[in-house]
């Protein structure tokens, strides 16, 4: 956890907008900064872990590397403590705004109290051992074996090819002997997420409906890298959608790369976002601006580093399975492996049984709470009509 926090505080300074980028609204600037930092903290921690595992130094402390990065950042970044203080004041102001919001209305004041209670309960539920079969088997199981052996190995299991950069970051928690916090780090951004949504949603009752969905129990207790990366990506996208600056665009592109590295299913969200970006390119007034953005981004050190990390993960996946896009494209790269193709098909059809798509909103099994809940369905239906 200390490794994660060290990288997070380093990234807050590294990603802090330059003076020429300070034309952003305070909300956009700081929320984009915070959520991108959360996302990339686990991304770079996973990259560090993948590197030391690959060179068979899995017991070399990731904390030492993370602290060196933090110290160097504090040395080379100007006005670092002033920047931290500005971020702290922003969070404090947003929290005060949330607490004072609708305080004259007893019902909405009660709603706000319920939101705070549920946030606390979700965070409390996230602290504990890894007891989900999938998480224990490979999400945390493989980093634990890498640590015990001292380096990388291939055992021929289909699950090993599913490891994402977020799974490799679990090595740091194993080294620091705080495995009980692996689940917590996935929803570490939840309090800030609630503050952001409270700003954007006129009625906090909808926020309460969102925060009480059963799937939050799943996200906070399973120990898989599911929520942190994709939730940060969605928030950064919403910020870019509202304020299409170069800073927000760069944050969005880097968050897309990181999310795909966490879990390849993030391609579903990423393709949708990329499609929206392409729609903007069709408009002449945006085309020249975005071309200049792209030219600037491809020279950005953080973007180049992110691409190299994703490339390293894909090479690692190719070494393990012979397929850099695994579990996708198995018919092309693994056409001779019938069992692997059956496993890939099983994953792609997961939860698409006779109850689909109702099982997205209603619990159909006592062992699976990964649903959005009926309230979300009742909110969506009027929007579709």
């Amino acid at each position: 956890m200390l490794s994660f926090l060290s990288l997070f505080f380093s990234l807050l300074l590294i990603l802090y907008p330059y003076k020429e980028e300070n034309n952003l609204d305070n909300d956009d600037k700081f929320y984009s900064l915070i959520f991108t930092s959360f996302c990339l903290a686990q991304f770079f921690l996973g990259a560090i872990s993948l590197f030391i595992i690959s060179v068979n130094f899995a017991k070399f402390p990731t904390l030492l590397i993370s602290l060196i990065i933090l110290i160097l950042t504090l040395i080379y970044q100007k006005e670092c403590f002033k920047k931290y203080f500005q971020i702290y004041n922003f969070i404090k102001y947003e929290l005060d705004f949330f607490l004072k919001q609708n305080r004259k209305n007893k019902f909405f004041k009660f709603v706000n109290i319920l939101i705070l209670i549920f946030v606390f309960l979700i965070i409390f539920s996230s602290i504990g051992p890894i007891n989900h079969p999938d998480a224990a088997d490979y999400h945390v199981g493989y980093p634990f074996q890498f640590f015990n052996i001292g380096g990388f190995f291939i055992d021929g299991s289909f699950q090993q090819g599913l490891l994402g950069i977020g799974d490799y970051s679990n090595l740091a928690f194993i080294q620091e002997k705080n495995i009980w916090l692996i689940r917590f780090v996935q929803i570490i951004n939840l309090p800030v997420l609630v503050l952001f949504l409270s700003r954007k949603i006129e009625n906090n009752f909808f926020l309460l409906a969102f925060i009480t969905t059963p799937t939050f129990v799943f996200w906070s207790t399973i120990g898989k890298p599911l929520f942190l990366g994709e939730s940060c990506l969605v928030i950064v996208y919403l910020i870019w959608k509202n304020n299409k600056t170069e800073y927000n665009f760069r944050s969005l592109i880097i968050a897309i790369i990181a999310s795909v590295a966490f879990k390849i299913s993030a391609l579903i969200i990423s393709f949708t976002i990329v499609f929206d970006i392409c729609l903007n390119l069709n408009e002449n007034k945006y085309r020249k601006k975005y071309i200049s953005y792209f030219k600037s981004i491809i020279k950005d050190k953080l973007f180049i580093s992110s691409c190299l990390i994703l490339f390293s993960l894909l090479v690692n996946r190719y070494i393990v399975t012979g397929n850099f896009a695994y579990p996708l494209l198995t018919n092309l790269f693994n056409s001779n492996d019938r069992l692997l193709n059956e496993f890939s098909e099983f994953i792609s059809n997961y939860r698409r049984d006779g109850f689909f798509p109702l099982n997205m909103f209603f619990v159909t099994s006592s062992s699976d709470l990964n649903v959005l809940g009926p309230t979300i369905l009742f909110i969506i239906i009027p929007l579709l009509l």
Side-chain angles (χ1 to χ4, degrees), residues 1-15 33-49 61-71 73 84 165-192 224-232 258 262:
M1 190 67 192
L2 291 176
S3 299
F4 175 88
L5 292 175
S6 298
L7 291 174
F8 172 70
F9 284 107
S10 300
L11 286 160
L12 286 177
L13 296 177
I14 294 169
L15 294 170
L33 168 66
I34 292 167
F35 282 107
T36 308
S37 297
F38 272 130
C39 181
L40 294 187
Q42 189 174 28
F43 179 63
F44 283 110
L45 182 57
I48 293 168
S49 301
T62 57
L63 179 58
L64 177 61
I65 300 172
S66 302
L67 285 174
I68 290 172
I69 293 172
L70 177 59
I71 292 168
T73 304
Y84 282 140
I165 207 74
D167 300 314
Y168 282 102
S169 71
N170 291 331
L171 176 68
F173 295 86
I174 294 165
Q175 289 182 350
E176 296 171 26
K177 298 181 179 179
N178 49 27
I179 295 177
W180 277 37
L181 296 178
I182 287 176
R183 295 175 1 185
F184 166 69
V185 81
Q186 281 309 301
I187 48 97
I188 194 172
N189 65 337
L190 182 60
V192 186
K224 295 182 181 182
L226 298 174
F227 184 72
L228 181 63
E230 293 185 19
S231 62
C232 288
F262 285 139

Side-chain angles (χ1 to χ4, degrees), residues 105-370:
N105 186 310
K106 290 184 178 180
F107 174 74
F108 286 110
K109 184 179 179 181
F110 178 66
V111 168
N112 287 352
I113 292 171
L114 283 179
I115 291 171
L116 291 175
I117 291 172
F118 276 104
V119 169
F120 171 78
L121 290 175
I122 290 169
I123 291 173
F124 182 76
S125 71
S126 71
I127 300 172
I130 302 299
N131 48 22
H132 188 277
D134 277 353
D137 182 32
Y138 71 93
H139 290 284
V140 181
Y142 271 107
F144 187 79
Q145 293 181 66
F146 292 146
F147 175 73
N148 282 338
I149 293 173
F152 187 71
F153 67 88
I154 299 173
D155 64 359
S157 169
F158 297 150
Q159 282 87 351
Q160 187 174 2
L162 298 175
L163 288 175
I165 207 74
D167 300 314
Y168 282 102
S169 71
N170 291 331
L171 176 68
F173 295 86
I174 294 165
Q175 289 182 350
E176 296 171 26
K177 298 181 179 179
N178 49 27
I179 295 177
W180 277 37
L181 296 178
I182 287 176
R183 295 175 1 185
F184 166 69
V185 81
Q186 281 309 301
I187 48 97
I188 194 172
N189 65 337
L190 182 60
V192 186
L193 178 63
V194 168
L195 295 180
F196 173 82
L197 293 177
S198 179
R199 273 281 184 185
K200 304 301 178 182
I201 300 174
E202 293 183 6
N203 190 334
N204 275 0
F205 184 76
F206 293 110
L207 178 55
L208 178 64
F210 170 69
I211 206 74
T212 54
T213 55
T215 195
F216 265 109
V217 178
F218 177 80
W219 284 330
S220 66
T221 59
I222 196 171
K224 295 182 181 182
L226 298 174
F227 184 72
L228 181 63
E230 293 185 19
S231 62
C232 288
L233 170 60
V234 170
I235 298 302
V236 173
Y237 166 70
L238 292 175
I239 293 170
W240 168 80
K241 191 73 175 172
N242 182 58
N243 194 348
K244 295 182 175 69
T245 63
E246 182 177 347
Y247 177 82
N248 288 335
F249 186 66
R250 183 188 65 171
S251 299
L252 177 61
I253 296 299
I254 294 173
I256 289 173
I257 295 170
S259 296
V260 172
F262 285 139
K263 200 166 180 66
I264 203 162
S265 59
L267 285 171
I268 299 170
I269 299 174
S270 301
F271 279 142
T272 307
I273 294 172
V274 171
F275 180 73
D276 190 23
I277 293 172
C278 291
L279 289 179
N280 281 273
L281 292 175
N282 283 331
E283 300 181 31
N284 289 327
K285 63 178 181 179
Y286 289 121
R287 191 175 299 148
K288 288 184 179 179
K289 183 168 70 171
Y290 277 97
I291 289 173
S292 67
Y293 286 177
F294 276 116
K295 287 180 179 178
S296 177
I297 289 171
I298 59 176
K299 298 175 186 176
D300 185 81
K301 293 177 182 177
L302 205 59
F303 171 78
I304 295 170
S305 301
S306 300
C307 289
L308 289 174
I309 291 169
L310 178 59
F311 178 74
S312 301
L313 179 68
L314 296 179
V315 170
N316 176 268
R317 191 163 289 175
Y318 183 82
I319 292 170
V320 173
T321 65
N323 178 359
F324 72 93
Y326 182 81
L328 305 177
L329 306 180
T330 53
N331 290 331
L332 178 63
F333 289 97
N334 311 100
S335 56
N336 295 325
D337 195 327
R338 183 174 60 85
L339 290 177
L340 190 145
N341 276 277
E342 289 178 359
F343 177 74
S344 177
E345 185 178 353
F346 168 77
I347 293 174
S348 63
N349 292 326
Y350 177 66
R351 296 197 62 180
R352 287 172 174 81
D353 53 19
F355 294 104
F356 182 81
L358 290 177
N359 59 359
M360 294 172 61
F361 302 96
F362 298 95
V363 175
T364 57
S365 170
S366 59
S367 62
D368 192 354
L369 296 176
N370 186 21

Side-chain angles (χ1 to χ4, degrees), residues 53-117:
I53 288 170
S54 299
V55 296
N56 293 327
F57 278 95
K59 295 190 177 182
F60 187 86
T62 57
L63 179 58
L64 177 61
I65 300 172
S66 302
L67 285 174
I68 290 172
I69 293 172
L70 177 59
I71 292 168
L72 291 174
T73 304
L74 291 171
I75 292 172
Y76 287 104
Q77 287 288 329
K78 297 178 181 178
E79 300 179 329
C80 52
F81 292 106
K82 179 183 177 181
K83 292 174 182 176
Y84 282 140
F85 190 66
Q86 288 175 340
I87 297 168
Y88 167 77
N89 281 338
F90 170 75
I91 294 295
K92 186 174 179 293
Y93 175 81
E94 291 294 289
L95 180 59
D96 289 341
F97 176 83
F98 175 82
L99 295 174
K100 293 175 182 177
Q101 196 177 28
N102 300 315
R103 63 179 178 179
K104 292 182 180 179
N105 186 310
K106 290 184 178 180
F107 174 74
F108 286 110
K109 184 179 179 181
F110 178 66
V111 168
N112 287 352
I113 292 171
L114 283 179
I115 291 171
L116 291 175
I117 291 172

